[in-house]
Amino acid sequence: MLTFEHLKTQVSEGSVDTVLVCMVDMQGRLMGKRFHAGHFVAGAWEETHCCNYLLATDLEMATPDGYASTSWERGYGDYVMKPDLSTLRPVPWLEGTVMVMCDVLDHHTHEEVPHAPRSILKKQVNRLKAMGYDAMTATELEFFLFEKSFDQIRKEGFRDLAPISGYNEDYHILQTTKEEHVMRPIRNHLWDAGIPVENTKGEAETGQEELNIKYAPAMDTAEYHSIAKNAVKEIAWQHGHAATFLPKWHHDKVGSSSHVHQSLWADGKPAFYDDADELGMSALMKNYMAGLLKYAPDYTCFMAPYINSYKRFMKGTFAPTRIIWSVDNRTAGFRLCGDGTKAVRVECRIPGSDMNPYLAMAGMLAAGIAGIEEELDLQPPTQGDVYQGETGMIPGNLRAARDALHGSVMLRAAMGDDVVDHYTRAAEVEIEEFERVVTDWEIARGFERA
């Protein structure tokens, strides 16, 4: 990590000439500007501006209507991007470049924009802090690497995609050695950027990789996740390959997830641990997990935000189908990890690799807080193959998840009506776009309506 004073020294010495000033959009992507470093340290570090459509777009950067926050009628004005100088870091895979993350503020009031992803997560983190707890989290990033580059794949109409390898790579050293020209610089560059990478490994499909980053406070984890995702794509591009975080890029291939591990700490100690409990679970943890389970349909839209997200939920693929918890069981939507130890935690296995980590974790924290406040009882864990059963199913498509989000009393109280309505509209845009481009012929041959 960099201090602002260190950055000024680097700029004066000529070792840094570019500053990436970034915000996170609804889709979890980095958006912003490239500043000449001299101008940034001279004054742009205080604030810059961006068009407010950046928090009201779809995946193709179009400007759909129906958002209360901005529209053609309202003229698409400005937001303020306020650099958080505590997030300054080098970007080792880009020459002479550093990065800073920004809060997004209203141009007139300079208050944080409530539906900005960073603001949404910060609000839930602060709610927990007021209760005396710190949220500690970690995310796993799964993705596929392809033989060809982004440009080659695009020019060929996104057809006949070939993964970088032809074998299941799960924990396989020989297979992953063949991809070290991409994965080694990913690990090392991220480490040098101040992101505490633990490891990479092959995942359970051809050309599928997993990147694991050390647990951290929730805001840091979301930042690590977003920057790492961007870095994977850029570094793969530099080596002539494409990377995708699409949850289900091929109907015959295992999907890509982004499991979220979480626990609460108090005064530097794990508040989820109780050595008197058979599984090491404190009463607080049981309340929290009960909230996660009860309200999972409400925040599914944040964990699975697109039509494609729901193609991943299939039996026998290590992707869950039910909102059930179990002990160290990868068939359940929620897995208890580290039982009987101070590392006891819950792993939510529902999110796909397309999740926005700020939104998904905010939804989980809000649900956990509700479980604590309501003193919810946690039912006993399910044993065996959780795929066997039809109760407690994850919402089956984006339309069902959209409806659950829109009707969530819990999330409206935790996040505000404007936030819930904004992301309800985002889901509707995805549904409308799907129905516009997918023909009846395609639907008859296996595509499901939203």
Side-chain angles (χ1 to χ4, degrees):
M1 300 297 289
L2 293 173
T3 66
F4 188 51
E5 292 304 313
H6 188 193
L7 174 60
K8 288 192 285 188
T9 299
Q10 290 181 319
V11 174
S12 65
E13 292 173 347
S15 60
V16 169
D17 57 53
T18 300
V19 180
L20 298 179
V21 178
C22 302
M23 58 166 279
V24 176
D25 72 0
M26 292 194 300
Q27 290 76 21
R29 301 171 295 192
L30 300 186
M31 296 288 163
K33 303 176 182 179
R34 280 176 156 84
F35 275 86
H36 189 285
H39 180 69
F40 180 82
V41 299
W45 62 269
E46 294 190 275
E47 67 176 41
T48 186
H49 292 77
C50 67
C51 179
N52 61 21
Y53 95 108
L54 288 176
L55 292 178
T57 65
D58 62 12
L59 281 167
E60 296 293 330
M61 300 293 288
T63 51
D65 60 13
Y67 286 103
S69 61
T70 189
S71 63
W72 290 111
E73 290 75 16
R74 298 183 63 177
Y76 285 110
D78 274 355
Y79 285 146
V80 172
M81 294 172 60
K82 178 70 173 177
D84 178 351
L85 296 181
S86 71
T87 68
L88 275 169
R89 68 180 69 245
V91 184
W93 60 96
L94 298 176
E95 185 178 359
T97 301
V98 303
M99 175 189 295
V100 67
M101 303 296 289
C102 295
D103 289 314
V104 182
L105 312 181
D106 182 273
H107 174 65
H108 301 288
T109 66
H110 270 61
E111 296 293 325
E112 289 197 18
V113 173
H115 56 272
R118 206 163 190 256
S119 302
I120 293 172
L121 179 56
K122 190 182 297 184
K123 182 175 182 178
Q124 302 312 310
V125 167
N126 288 339
R127 290 180 67 205
L128 277 170
K129 283 187 178 297
M131 298 167 68
Y133 302 113
D134 294 311
M136 300 296 289
T137 61
T139 60
E140 305 170 28
L141 288 83
E142 294 179 5
F143 56 94
F144 281 83
L145 290 175
F146 294 103
E147 285 183 352
K148 296 180 179 179
S149 70
F150 288 111
D151 285 341
Q152 286 176 295
I153 290 172
R154 175 180 54 81
K155 290 174 181 177
E156 294 172 4
F158 300 94
R159 297 181 183 277
D160 301 321
L161 276 71
I164 198 169
S165 74
Y167 298 92
N168 181 324
E169 302 197 16
D170 204 19
Y171 296 95
H172 205 296
I173 295 300
L174 173 60
Q175 292 304 322
T176 51
T177 294
K178 302 173 186 178
E179 289 115 47
E180 272 290 85
H181 65 292
V182 179
M183 300 306 298
R184 182 170 180 256
I186 287 174
R187 291 193 304 272
N188 291 338
H189 285 322
L190 287 173
W191 181 273
D192 291 342
I195 294 178
V197 171
E198 291 187 337
N199 59 66
T200 60
K201 61 177 283 290
E203 252 303 319
E205 190 50 89
T206 57
Q208 191 178 31
E209 317 286 346
E210 179 179 304
L211 170 66
N212 292 300
I213 299 171
K214 184 178 174 65
Y215 74 91
M219 290 298 297
D220 291 340
T221 294
E223 185 174 299
Y224 297 159
H225 182 112
S226 301
I227 294 171
K229 198 169 180 179
N230 187 74
V232 165
K233 296 176 184 178
E234 291 185 342
I235 295 169
W237 168 79
Q238 289 172 340
H239 290 81
H241 299 286
T244 184
F245 289 85
L246 197 67
K248 192 76 171 176
W249 81 267
H250 192 287
H251 65 278
D252 286 335
K253 304 288 186 181
V254 168
S256 289
S257 68
S258 186
H259 305 149
V260 178
H261 295 251
Q262 54 203 289
S263 62
L264 300 185
W265 289 52
D267 300 322
K269 298 179 181 179
F272 274 9
Y273 178 62
D274 182 350
D275 61 3
D277 184 77
E278 180 182 4
L279 294 173
M281 300 173 67
S282 68
L284 178 81
M285 182 179 189
K286 293 175 182 179
N287 293 155
Y288 183 97
M289 282 186 62
L292 287 181
L293 292 160
K294 176 180 177 179
Y295 292 110
D298 298 39
Y299 60 88
T300 293
C301 214
F302 292 146
M303 300 186 289
Y306 307 109
I307 300 294
N308 180 268
S309 308
Y310 297 82
K311 309 300 182 185
R312 178 178 144 261
F313 301 133
M314 296 177 62
K315 295 181 179 180
T317 65
F318 291 101
T321 56
R322 300 173 65 197
I323 301 169
I324 296 288
W325 82 279
S326 190
V327 180
D328 198 18
N329 184 336
R330 286 181 167 84
T331 69
F334 294 86
R335 179 170 76 118
L336 184 72
C337 300
D339 56 287
T341 74
K342 292 181 179 180
V344 67
R345 62 196 184 277
V346 57
E347 174 195 49
C348 179
R349 299 178 60 82
I350 298 173
S353 53
D354 56 347
M355 76 164 187
N356 181 327
Y358 293 88
L359 303 180
M361 288 196 292
M364 293 176 200
L365 295 182
I369 291 170
I372 295 170
E373 292 178 339
E374 297 171 26
E375 298 181 342
L376 296 178
D377 292 326
L378 181 64
Q379 297 302 308
T382 301
Q383 297 181 345
D385 185 356
V386 177
Y387 289 128
Q388 304 303 314
E390 301 298 330
T391 60
M393 303 302 289
I394 294 170
N397 51 51
L398 184 56
R399 190 182 300 277
R402 183 274 318 267
D403 291 344
L405 172 64
H406 181 71
S408 176
V409 175
M410 183 275 293
L411 287 178
R412 288 185 178 277
M415 297 181 176
D417 289 337
D418 51 352
V419 171
V420 171
D421 290 341
H422 189 87
Y423 286 92
T424 296
R425 179 56 191 152
E428 290 170 349
V429 167
E430 296 301 321
I431 294 168
E432 291 166 3
E433 183 67 7
F434 176 83
E435 294 185 337
R436 184 182 69 81
V437 301
V438 176
T439 66
D440 289 338
W441 184 91
E442 290 168 312
I443 292 169
R445 283 154 183 80
F447 284 82
E448 296 179 5
R449 285 202 178 276

